[in-house]
Amino acid sequence: WQPTFSVTFKKLKMPSALNVAGLLGIVNAVDFTRPVADAKTCDGSIDLVNGAAPSSRVLAANSWLSVEGWLAKSVDQGAVPESTVLVLSDNKGGNFYFPTRKKPRPDVAAYFKKPALEMVGYTADANVTAVEGQYTLGLGYVNGDQLELCPQPKIPVVLGDSATERVVR
C-alpha cells in the first residue's frame, strides 16, 4: 500500500438500451389501417397457448401470450394467407391485433395432401401487459388490402391483474 496514488477518470460510452423483447421476437399490438371484414372461409387451429393445448376452460395470462398453430384461407383450394394475425376481441367489439411469424407445417400439408399448405403455420409471442380483462383469442389473415377475421377458432382468455386473481382463487 502506498500513501499516495493517482486516479484518472474517463468518460465511458454506454451502449444504447438493448431491446430484449425485440430480440426474443415478442410483439406488441399493432393498429391496422386496412379495412376489417369477416372472412368467407377459414381453416385452422390454435394448437398451443403458453405451451399447452387450449381446453374448454378459460385461459389466464399476465404479461404475454405465446401462441402456435396453423391457418389457411381454404384447405380445399390450398390457399395460404399473406400473413396471419392473432386477434384479441372484447365483448364490446374492440380488437387488439398481433402479427405472427410464419412457421413450416409439413404435417398439415401431408394430412390434407396439399403441398401448398406447407407454410400455413404461425407462431407469435405477444406482449399483452397493456391488455386487461376478458377477451376471446382468435385469428385473422391479411387478404390484399384488408384484414379478414375468422369465425373460428375462439378461445376465452383473461388477461392482466384479473388473470392473477382468477389463478389465485
Side-chain angles (χ1 to χ4, degrees), residues 6-85:
S6 65
V7 176
T8 305
F9 291 95
K10 293 183 177 185
K11 187 174 183 176
L12 185 62
K13 289 185 179 183
M14 297 299 291
S16 60
L18 186 61
N19 179 359
V20 175
L23 289 174
L24 295 175
I26 299 172
V27 295
N28 292 315
V30 296
D31 291 326
F32 267 90
T33 55
R34 302 168 189 238
V36 177
D38 291 331
K40 293 179 183 127
T41 61
C42 257
D43 296 311
S45 172
I46 297 174
D47 297 335
L48 296 173
V49 178
N50 290 352
S55 64
S56 59
R57 66 181 173 84
V58 176
L59 297 172
N62 265 341
S63 56
W64 68 290
L65 286 174
S66 177
V67 182
E68 292 184 28
W70 65 274
L71 183 70
K73 293 194 304 189
S74 169
V75 166
D76 291 339
Q77 297 173 7
V80 178
E82 294 172 37
S83 62
T84 300
V85 177

Side-chain angles (χ1 to χ4, degrees), residues 66-128:
S66 177
V67 182
E68 292 184 28
W70 65 274
L71 183 70
K73 293 194 304 189
S74 169
V75 166
D76 291 339
Q77 297 173 7
V80 178
E82 294 172 37
S83 62
T84 300
V85 177
L86 295 183
V87 182
L88 283 174
S89 304
D90 64 21
N91 59 2
K92 298 174 188 162
N95 293 322
F96 289 94
Y97 306 107
F98 296 88
T100 67
R101 296 179 308 278
K102 285 189 177 275
K103 180 178 178 181
R105 288 295 302 263
D107 60 319
V108 174
Y111 179 83
F112 291 107
K113 298 178 176 66
K114 302 261 183 183
L117 296 178
E118 177 143 351
M119 289 307 292
V120 294
Y122 65 84
T123 183
D125 295 307
N127 176 359
V128 293

